Amino acid sequence: MFSNRYVRTIILSRVLLQLGVWIRNYAVLLYITEVTNNNPVYVSLISVAEFSPIFLFAIIGGTFADRWRPKQTMVWSDSLSALSVVAVLLAIMNGGWIALLIGSFVSASLSQFSQPSAMKLYKRHVPGEQLQGVMAMSQSLVAVFTVLGPVIGTFIFIQFGIEVPLVLTTVLFLGSSLVLSSLPRDAEEPRSGEADSFIQELTAGMRYIGSNQQLRTLSLTFAVVGLAAGLTQPLQIFIAIEQLGQDKQFLQWLVMTNGAAMLVGGIAIIGIAKKVKPQLLLMVGLFVSAICTIGIGASTMILLTIVFLVISGLFYPCIQGGIQTLIVRNTEGAFIGRVSGAITPVFMGMMVIGMFLSGYLKDTFSLLTVYVFSGSLIVIGALLLTPIIAQKRSEATRGPAS
């Protein structure tokens, strides 16, 4: 796979971006918890600022990925993200910490134009038999930085404050833009169907999803699971502080443990992905995630919490591997940007709603109640996949008979 120039270049770009994002995110998280005295509402707003653009702009970015030249789109997106961090740095130097939320929102918005374009380049330049391996490698990369990112981000913030992490983030984003600029010039690609305007192509993409039962079912599952994920995502820091009685810096070790397990699970998935049906992989991953979510919310022992985090991390690649494989296998190449850009907002939109509600629900009820509710929603999401599994079984039964 690394003999492919596009794979090498995009992976290197993602390394720089992931490092920059983790440094920025942890610096922002620790800085805002510091200046707001661990206010759960402001902590949840950080996640809203970082994830809501995926809901707002993913479908737009996905449609443009099918229209624009992907290399050019990625270069400009990363360059503008760097400029947005510079603007935030200037605001911070003048005492405006709210600008951190705005800057995170802008940077995450721009990434919605870059990510579908990377998928487009993979679809265009990576052979079909290597595509699943490239996807698995991309997920492993995310897992690596889930391990390293919190440690690096926390260390830099503790040592240097908020300004240095923002400067480093700017440099890393610019580095990603320069790396991508080394790719060959984009080739023109014919547009799908007769759609010749943005609105027409966006509408065509939505009709395509609506006519595909597999993609419709995935959208419904993503909505429920996204809400569940959003309810707990901003509250992880309170697992460390309230449930385990540690300081906020202890969160990095919990995240690192989960990320290390994700890396091991991702490597394992590369080996078994071709042998296990993706819909079954996804359902198993969701059931295990539900059990671990409830366990993490209930545990008051560090060792038990770590056990749940390890198990959850090992099976998390089942969810991502199943999702990516189902999308790629059930989507034509001309629609890949719009499909990923339409289904992702379903998940992320509900996740943002969950993140917005999480702080209030914790204050109204309890941390455990929120985690139990989240786990129950994940179970519902897994059960919603039943029609896909039934359909695949029916097709497999009819296949030999015919």
Side-chain angles (χ1 to χ4, degrees):
M1 290 184 290
F2 280 106
S3 62
N4 187 311
R5 179 178 183 180
Y6 285 88
V7 174
R8 289 198 312 270
T9 303
I10 294 174
I11 290 296
L12 177 57
S13 164
R14 301 301 101 170
V15 167
L16 296 174
L17 281 178
Q18 283 284 321
L19 185 56
V21 166
W22 275 103
I23 290 174
R24 180 199 66 195
N25 286 356
Y26 257 73
V28 169
L29 173 64
L30 295 175
Y31 182 75
I32 290 183
T33 56
E34 186 176 277
V35 299
T36 65
N37 195 28
N38 299 325
N39 187 304
V41 174
Y42 282 112
V43 170
S44 64
L45 283 178
I46 300 171
S47 298
V48 171
E50 292 171 355
F51 289 98
S52 61
I54 301 176
F55 170 66
L56 298 173
F57 297 110
I59 181 59
I60 297 174
T63 303
F64 279 119
D66 289 332
R67 290 171 57 87
W68 289 350
R69 297 180 178 182
K71 170 201 166 182
Q72 190 176 56
T73 301
M74 294 170 73
V75 169
W76 275 105
S77 295
D78 293 350
S79 299
L80 292 173
S81 290
L83 290 177
S84 72
V85 179
V86 171
V88 171
L89 178 60
L90 294 175
I92 287 294
M93 294 172 67
N94 290 311
W97 69 267
I98 294 294
L100 286 171
L101 301 177
I102 300 173
S104 297
F105 177 87
V106 171
S107 181
S109 300
L110 291 166
S111 70
Q112 301 318 304
F113 295 85
S114 177
Q115 291 172 358
S117 297
M119 184 76 76
K120 194 75 174 179
L121 285 177
Y122 282 146
K123 188 78 173 180
R124 190 183 291 181
H125 297 287
V126 177
E129 64 273 12
Q130 296 181 1
L131 192 58
Q132 188 166 330
V134 171
M135 296 296 180
M137 183 168 56
S138 297
Q139 291 303 317
S140 296
L141 179 66
V142 173
V144 168
F145 280 99
T146 303
V147 176
L148 298 178
V151 178
I152 296 172
T154 301
F155 174 80
I156 294 175
F157 175 79
I158 291 174
Q159 295 296 320
F160 304 105
I162 189 64
E163 291 86 1
V164 170
L166 294 180
V167 170
L168 286 175
T169 299
T170 302
V171 172
L172 290 166
F173 284 177
L174 287 175
S176 174
S177 177
L178 290 173
V179 167
L180 291 169
S181 66
S182 68
L183 287 173
R185 184 184 296 272
D186 288 310
E188 291 287 352
E189 180 176 284
R191 294 175 187 170
S192 58
E194 298 180 355
D196 58 359
S197 73
F198 173 81
I199 297 298
Q200 286 175 317
E201 292 193 0
L202 188 151
T203 304
M206 299 304 293
R207 284 200 303 266
Y208 178 80
I209 295 172
S211 65
N212 189 311
Q213 182 183 0
Q214 304 261 348
L215 297 179
R216 291 200 310 269
T217 303
L218 282 174
S219 297
L220 185 58
T221 298
F222 288 177
V224 176
V225 176
L227 178 61
L231 289 173
T232 58
Q233 203 279 338
L235 302 181
Q236 296 177 45
I237 194 167
F238 298 104
I239 291 292
I241 296 173
E242 296 182 6
Q243 292 290 96
L244 304 180
Q246 304 296 312
D247 58 25
K248 60 188 177 183
Q249 282 78 20
F250 187 75
L251 174 61
Q252 65 180 306
W253 302 110
L254 298 180
V255 176
M256 185 175 68
T257 299
N258 185 248
M262 284 171 54
L263 178 58
V264 174
I267 294 172
I269 289 299
I270 294 175
I272 68 171
K274 295 182 179 180
K275 303 176 184 178
V276 182
K277 296 175 182 178
Q279 61 272 14
L280 183 59
L281 206 65
L282 177 56
M283 179 175 274
V284 170
L286 290 174
F287 274 124
V288 173
S289 177
I291 295 171
C292 291
T293 296
I294 296 173
I296 290 168
S299 172
T300 57
M301 296 185 294
I302 293 176
L303 180 59
L304 183 59
T305 299
I306 289 175
V307 169
F308 281 124
L309 286 170
V310 168
I311 296 173
S312 176
L314 288 173
F315 280 86
Y316 182 77
C318 293
I319 300 175
Q320 289 298 323
I323 288 171
Q324 296 297 329
T325 303
L326 286 170
I327 289 177
V328 172
R329 286 186 181 178
N330 291 281
T331 306
E332 298 174 23
F335 289 92
I336 191 69
R338 279 165 286 180
V339 169
S340 63
I343 290 182
T344 302
V346 172
F347 178 87
M348 297 308 302
M350 296 302 293
M351 186 174 179
V352 169
I353 293 173
M355 289 187 294
F356 184 77
L357 295 174
S358 63
Y360 297 99
L361 290 176
K362 176 187 176 298
D363 284 345
T364 304
F365 300 102
S366 68
L367 191 64
L368 175 59
T369 301
V370 176
Y371 270 76
V372 169
F373 183 47
S374 175
S376 302
L377 287 173
I378 296 173
V379 171
I380 293 173
L383 294 176
L384 289 172
L385 292 171
T386 304
I388 291 182
I389 293 179
Q391 180 184 356
K392 291 296 183 181
R393 270 187 196 162
S394 177
E395 292 173 357
T397 302
R398 288 197 307 268
S402 59

